[in-house]
Amino acid sequence: MKITIILWLLLMISYTGISQTITIKSMDTNQPVEMVKLISLNPKVQTTTNAKGEANLSGFQTSKAIEILAFGYKKVTKSYDEIVASNFEIYLESSTIGLDEFVVSASKWGQNSGNVPSKISNISSKDVAQQNPQTAADLLATSGEVFIQKSQQGGGSPMVRGFSANRLLYTVDGVRMNTAIFRSGNIQNVISLDPLAIENTEVFFGPGAIIYGSDAIGGVMSFTTLTPQLSLNNKPLVIGKFVSRYASANNEKTGHFDVNIGWKKWALVTSITHSDYGDLKMGTNGPDDYLSNFYVQRMDTMDKVVSNPDPLTQNPTGYKQTNVMQKIRFSPNEKWDFQYGFHYSETSEYSRYDRLIEIGNNGLPRSAVWNYGPQKWMMNNLTIRHTSNNKIYDKMNIGLAQQYFEESRIDRNFTGGNRFRLRTQLEQVQAYSANLDFEKVLTKHKFYYGLEFIQNDVTSKGSAIDIRDHSSIPVSDRYPKSKWNSYAIYLNYQFEISDKFLVQAGGRYSMFDLQSDFTRHLEFFPFDFTTVEIQNSATNFSLGGVYRPDETWKISFNASTGFRAPNVDDIGKIFDFAGSEVVVPNTNLKAEFAYNGEMNVSKIFGDIVKLDITGFYTYLDNAMVRRAFQVNGQDSINYDGDMSKVYAIQNAAYGTVYGANIGVEIKLNSEFSISSRYNYQIGEEEMDNGDISRSRHAAPAFGVSRFTYKKDKLFLQVYAMYATEVSFENLNEEEKQKAYLYAKDANGNPYAPSWYTFNFKAMYQLTKIFSVSAGMENITNQRYRTYSSGLTAPGRNFILSLRGNF
């Protein structure tokens, strides 16, 4: 009898341990659903399902309400007892019609997007699998809410709400990616990220200064890479995927492999991707102004303009890229979690294509060579999370990171005195950051607060040789040797006044300092200083609210400020931005500030139609812009052998951006759906003479419309992407000086024509492991350039990809 009782007790204990593992599946396919968020406020605990749709609920046993959130599925709320009654198995109904998603970019902590006053868009790994973007810039474009500019194929500069470049912020696993040499011109750093190693992407619209500090004026793009997954039983969890992809427009060949091995307390994930992109081919139907009629080739000892045998092929635009990621996780118990991540990305050398098609006043190409050297990015980051319901915090996160950035520019003129000088400008940045973030919940009061420290060490080296005899030629560095530091403290507070209404308020105080040494520049330029030091501060506030009359409504408002502290690129860069015009340092720069207001209304009609409308207005004050300047009383100096008019970045203007984002989603039935996103923005900025010009980085109205069919193992989608015209009259004044980037209107003036593409994507699950996806982009073979781009977009593009999940 005693033996029977003991065995019975052991079986019950075993059953209890097993039963605390929930399995979540899709109602449509009966397949496990990964990355489902389970959140409980009492007790304060949350978890995420692994690739098998499993999660440990041992900390949820007394919970009366567990929110179950997954992108693309209806929200479910159940008590722990209800989950027990369902035998720890939950089925989610597929739906794009919902107001509740799990987001982290609003506070750095996971929360329901229905409780966030700001607009946030989500791009899941499932979207990546279906759309097959080649780069992280292309990934952002799939949202239909981020406009992408490209100067070359190895690039992609996002535009969000009329802002771009260093007025947008990028984070990777919570680590700030922006450096002290992020410039106001278009940048391509986002391509360092590997779309196939990204677990989730969020786009936070509007100023995000409270949480993220400097640069977060137009928005924040937050990338979360693959997280090591632990095993929930005694068997090792071994999961992963491999992807092989080909695209015809640039003869892309990409191979990817990642594997996760998890035990109960330890887990690791390894990811490797290599891509080879050939020269990009444009479409046949569009302006002849975009044709690539020539390229420069050196023959014997002469540079010659060679007629392009295929003007549809943009030569040279090809490049290669390799990404490696390694993560290790240690979770000794439910309260502590340690994660270390290593990321490395490197491209081959690639051309700055828009410079290679620029024609000088003599009718010949300006450049014989204009390349970016290999772009390198490396990050080591350590994250320590602790859960403890004490008086100070419920959750604590310590983030330590070291990043290394390397970029270079290699150029040589086609004519003139510098046609034999091959110049290389090498920039290196060591970036260090430390973040301490806390979350504390007191019934209806939530506090998110923390500290941040950032340091950037910038080194720059200019060198040149005479290509005739390889002798050395002295040239100036692009930047002075510099150090940029930032220190900040922040608090975000949320108060749930009732079940239907909450308010949120936040504040941040930031200090920043910059030291630059111009000693190496004095032999080239008549500066009256050798060192520069700037110290300043910024205070930011936000106030917002969310009103939810019922589950079908969300009405929110938000007023916030943002800022951008002057960096090394602003204060110390010396470069020629146009013929006989040069930008020099300005030692008197201060931060620029943005003041933003927005309102969002979202409504679901009968579980069939979702309408989402956001209106916004942003005022940029004390804007850092390029203006005429003097050096020691001189308005022109000798630069690269030519007398050049002097300009500098100055706090000398204001700007405004206003617009709206409109989205509609229609669920026709369980298989068919329609969705559309449309973005309208008008940006204006003050010019040197006081006149008002359209903003350079305010994209034309653009959007995407999709018709989707999903049933069992099959996914089909037909969609159109489009953008409106930017006429000569509405073109930014600086852009008008770059006529070679644009088509010509009836009067011979540059303008950006409207464009559209029709596209088709399909994905089919062949077996439990293998799936195949195919697509045809730009079916009608349109020839077009996205606004402000020097690279003509791909013509008709056939994509074929084989994916295996194990």
Side-chain angles (χ1 to χ4, degrees):
M1 184 64 180
K2 290 182 179 180
I3 294 175
T4 302
I5 293 173
I6 292 171
L7 289 173
W8 183 83
L9 288 172
L10 288 172
L11 287 171
M12 286 300 297
I13 293 171
S14 174
Y15 175 78
T16 302
I18 294 172
S19 66
Q20 290 178 336
T21 298
I22 188 175
T23 300
I24 299 180
K25 296 182 178 180
S26 168
M27 190 177 294
D28 299 331
T29 65
N30 201 37
Q31 295 297 311
V33 182
E34 185 181 5
M35 297 299 299
V36 181
K37 308 295 181 180
L38 297 96
I39 306 171
S40 169
L41 295 180
N42 186 21
K44 302 163 189 173
V45 62
Q46 61 181 252
T47 189
T48 307
T49 60
N50 60 22
K52 295 184 177 181
E54 299 173 341
N56 189 342
L57 292 189
S58 58
F60 291 76
Q61 292 181 5
T62 60
S63 179
K64 301 298 182 183
I66 301 172
E67 281 191 332
I68 303 174
L69 301 171
F71 184 73
Y73 294 91
K74 282 186 177 181
K75 183 183 79 168
V76 174
T77 302
K78 289 185 176 292
S79 69
Y80 181 83
D81 291 340
E82 288 175 321
I83 293 175
V84 171
S86 67
N87 200 26
F88 286 88
E89 195 167 73
I90 300 294
Y91 287 85
L92 298 183
E93 183 180 351
S94 177
S95 175
T96 58
I97 309 297
L99 301 178
D100 301 284
E101 295 176 358
F102 184 87
V103 295
V104 298
S105 58
S107 63
K108 291 189 179 181
W109 299 99
Q111 59 185 127
N112 188 332
S113 62
N115 299 328
V116 178
S118 300
K119 174 178 170 57
I120 300 175
S121 287
N122 196 306
I123 306 170
S124 69
S125 57
K126 181 186 289 186
D127 296 325
V128 173
Q130 293 168 349
Q131 298 300 323
N132 275 306
Q134 292 189 353
T135 69
D138 298 331
L139 181 155
L140 291 167
T142 63
S143 68
E145 298 178 297
V146 178
F147 192 88
I148 301 296
Q149 179 276 350
K150 289 190 177 184
S151 299
Q152 65 280 329
Q153 191 173 193
S157 187
M159 296 182 181
V160 178
R161 287 194 176 181
F163 296 100
S164 183
N166 57 14
R167 290 180 178 137
L168 299 176
L169 187 78
Y170 306 83
T171 70
V172 184
D173 293 337
V175 179
R176 175 192 179 93
M177 196 180 188
N178 292 42
T179 72
I181 63 170
F182 266 40
R183 56 191 181 273
S184 59
N186 299 307
I187 59 176
Q188 63 270 2
N189 299 74
V190 72
I191 70 166
S192 292
L193 305 179
D194 178 10
L196 295 170
I198 293 175
E199 199 168 72
N200 192 63
T201 302
E202 294 178 17
V203 183
F204 179 99
F205 294 86
I210 302 301
I211 303 298
Y212 297 101
S214 178
D215 302 3
I217 290 179
V220 178
M221 285 154 285
S222 176
F223 301 90
T224 302
T225 60
L226 297 173
T227 302
Q229 298 184 14
L230 300 168
S231 174
L232 300 180
N233 53 48
N234 292 323
K235 294 182 179 180
L237 175 67
V238 180
I239 54 175
K241 70 175 181 288
F242 55 87
V243 178
S244 179
R245 184 175 64 220
Y246 171 81
S248 63
N250 58 357
N251 199 29
E252 178 214 9
K253 297 176 285 291
T254 289
H256 168 85
F257 175 78
D258 67 68
V259 61
N260 180 106
I261 304 176
W263 297 269
K264 278 194 170 183
K265 296 184 178 182
W266 288 89
L268 57 87
V269 61
T270 303
S271 173
I272 301 173
T273 301
H274 180 75
S275 297
D276 185 339
Y277 308 104
D279 291 337
L280 183 64
K281 192 165 186 174
M282 67 182 78
T284 57
N285 303 310
D288 289 345
D289 306 282
Y290 296 157
L291 290 173
S292 180
N293 292 314
F294 72 91
Y295 58 89
V296 174
Q297 186 173 352
R298 190 162 184 82
M299 300 179 181
D300 297 326
T301 59
M302 296 287 291
D303 291 320
K304 294 185 178 181
V305 178
V306 178
S307 179
N308 189 353
D310 181 7
L312 299 179
T313 300
Q314 299 168 89
N315 179 14
T317 53
Y319 76 104
K320 299 177 181 180
Q321 181 168 335
T322 300
N323 285 76
V324 177
M325 184 186 75
Q326 178 65 60
K327 285 188 174 182
I328 301 173
R329 179 180 180 183
F330 174 56
S331 186
N333 51 51
E334 294 178 356
K335 294 184 177 294
W336 289 96
D337 191 85
F338 301 81
Q339 288 192 43
Y340 164 76
F342 170 79
H343 302 258
Y344 183 79
S345 172
E346 182 174 350
T347 70
S348 63
E349 186 173 309
Y350 55 92
S351 68
R352 170 76 186 266
Y353 185 71
D354 64 338
R355 290 295 186 98
L356 295 179
I357 62 175
E358 184 178 2
I359 301 297
N361 295 329
N362 57 5
L364 295 172
R366 285 196 63 190
S367 301
V369 177
W370 215 121
N371 293 337
Y372 284 112
Q375 178 174 293
K376 301 177 183 179
W377 170 63
M378 181 184 72
M379 180 171 78
N380 294 276
N381 70 304
L382 175 65
T383 301
I384 303 172
R385 290 205 170 196
H386 184 232
T387 301
S388 175
N389 297 329
N390 57 48
K391 294 182 179 180
I392 305 300
Y393 63 86
D394 297 326
K395 297 175 185 176
M396 175 191 70
N397 185 87
I398 300 173
L400 305 172
Q402 176 269 332
Q403 298 180 81
Y404 172 76
F405 299 83
E406 180 178 306
E407 58 186 58
S408 56
R409 294 159 178 81
I410 305 162
D411 69 308
R412 184 170 61 82
N413 290 351
F414 185 80
T415 60
N418 290 324
R419 68 184 184 278
F420 299 118
R421 187 201 68 179
L422 183 65
R423 178 179 60 175
T424 300
Q425 293 178 308
L426 174 67
E427 279 73 58
Q428 298 170 311
V429 180
Q430 291 282 1
Y432 307 92
S433 61
N435 293 80
L436 184 59
D437 302 294
F438 300 97
E439 178 189 49
K440 181 64 181 177
V441 180
L442 299 172
T443 57
K444 296 186 177 183
H445 306 270
K446 295 181 181 179
F447 299 87
Y448 308 99
Y449 60 100
L451 305 168
E452 179 182 75
F453 167 73
I454 299 168
Q455 178 178 303
N456 282 194
D457 294 331
V458 178
T459 58
S460 179
K461 175 66 175 177
S463 61
I465 61 168
D466 188 317
I467 61 172
R468 293 170 296 185
D469 57 13
H470 296 279
S471 59
S472 178
I473 301 174
V475 293
S476 66
D477 303 332
R478 182 177 172 88
Y479 297 113
K481 185 174 178 60
S482 303
K483 186 184 293 287
W484 185 90
N485 298 317
S486 174
Y487 321 84
I489 183 172
Y490 76 90
L491 169 66
N492 220 14
Y493 166 67
Q494 194 174 89
F495 173 43
E496 188 178 337
I497 297 176
S498 68
D499 292 339
K500 297 181 178 180
F501 185 59
L502 64 84
V503 294
Q504 179 174 293
R508 181 186 181 103
Y509 179 73
S510 305
M511 296 188 300
F512 52 89
D513 61 74
L514 188 160
Q515 304 94 35
S516 296
D517 184 353
F518 287 88
T519 302
R520 284 175 51 86
H521 290 77
L522 296 181
E523 60 181 291
F524 301 98
F525 306 104
F527 298 150
D528 58 356
F529 54 85
T530 56
T531 60
V532 171
E533 183 169 348
I534 293 179
Q535 291 183 335
N536 216 317
S537 63
T539 304
N540 296 97
F541 298 99
S542 69
L543 177 65
V546 178
Y547 177 55
R548 300 282 301 265
D550 56 47
E551 289 294 314
T552 68
W553 278 97
K554 178 187 175 183
I555 303 170
S556 64
F557 71 90
N558 195 48
S560 57
T561 65
F563 79 102
R564 188 173 75 81
N567 63 19
V568 177
D569 186 85
D570 298 312
I571 195 175
K573 180 170 65 177
I574 303 170
F575 79 111
D576 56 326
F577 69 92
S580 301
E581 294 175 323
V582 62
V583 171
V584 300
N586 175 16
T587 61
N588 297 309
L589 279 177
K590 298 180 180 179
E592 59 185 16
F593 284 84
Y595 304 88
N596 178 77
E598 63 185 90
M599 186 170 183
N600 170 268
V601 178
S602 300
K603 169 64 176 173
I604 296 176
F605 299 90
D607 203 26
I608 296 175
V609 177
K610 175 186 174 182
L611 181 64
D612 178 70
I613 302 175
T614 301
F616 64 90
Y617 177 88
T618 305
Y619 180 84
L620 184 66
D621 190 30
N622 225 21
M624 287 182 269
V625 293
R626 191 162 51 218
R627 292 289 185 263
F629 198 63
Q630 291 187 345
V631 175
N632 289 337
Q634 303 175 46
D635 62 4
S636 297
I637 61 173
N638 188 295
Y639 180 76
D640 270 358
D642 298 318
M643 287 301 295
S644 300
K645 184 173 174 56
V646 175
Y647 289 80
I649 304 297
Q650 304 174 54
N651 297 107
Y654 70 87
T656 61
V657 183
Y658 61 90
N661 309 109
I662 303 171
V664 61
E665 299 172 26
I666 304 173
K667 183 179 179 181
L668 301 176
N669 55 36
S670 61
E671 299 163 358
F672 291 95
S673 64
I674 297 173
S675 67
S676 189
R677 305 295 314 181
Y678 188 75
N679 310 275
Y680 176 82
Q681 49 276 314
I682 295 291
E684 297 178 330
E685 60 186 43
E686 183 185 19
M687 303 303 293
D688 197 10
N689 60 3
D691 290 345
I692 301 300
S693 169
R694 287 297 177 93
S695 172
R696 176 186 175 192
H697 289 140
F702 69 98
V704 61
S705 299
R706 306 180 189 273
F707 178 75
T708 305
Y709 172 82
K710 288 191 294 184
K711 183 175 176 61
D712 299 330
K713 300 177 180 181
L714 181 64
F715 166 87
L716 300 173
Q717 187 175 90
V718 178
Y719 65 99
M721 302 188 77
Y722 39 85
T724 59
E725 174 187 302
V726 180
S727 66
F728 174 73
E729 291 74 20
N730 288 330
L731 201 60
N732 172 265
E733 290 300 318
E734 289 186 14
E735 292 298 297
K736 289 179 180 179
Q737 308 307 311
K738 306 173 187 174
Y740 62 95
L741 297 181
Y742 294 95
K744 294 181 177 62
D745 63 17
N747 298 317
N749 294 318
Y751 84 114
S754 61
W755 57 266
Y756 68 89
T757 63
F758 292 120
N759 315 272
F760 171 74
K761 296 288 173 67
M763 188 172 184
Y764 185 74
Q765 190 75 37
L766 297 171
T767 68
K768 187 176 181 180
I769 294 177
F770 293 102
S771 63
V772 63
S773 60
M776 183 72 75
E777 297 176 336
N778 195 1
I779 295 171
T780 58
N781 213 16
Q782 298 298 303
R783 183 189 304 147
Y784 69 100
R785 283 182 185 167
T786 59
Y787 165 73
S788 192
S789 295
L791 185 76
T792 305
R796 185 180 294 121
N797 184 31
F798 175 72
I799 303 168
L800 180 63
S801 176
L802 177 66
R803 174 182 292 252
N805 291 277
F806 58 90

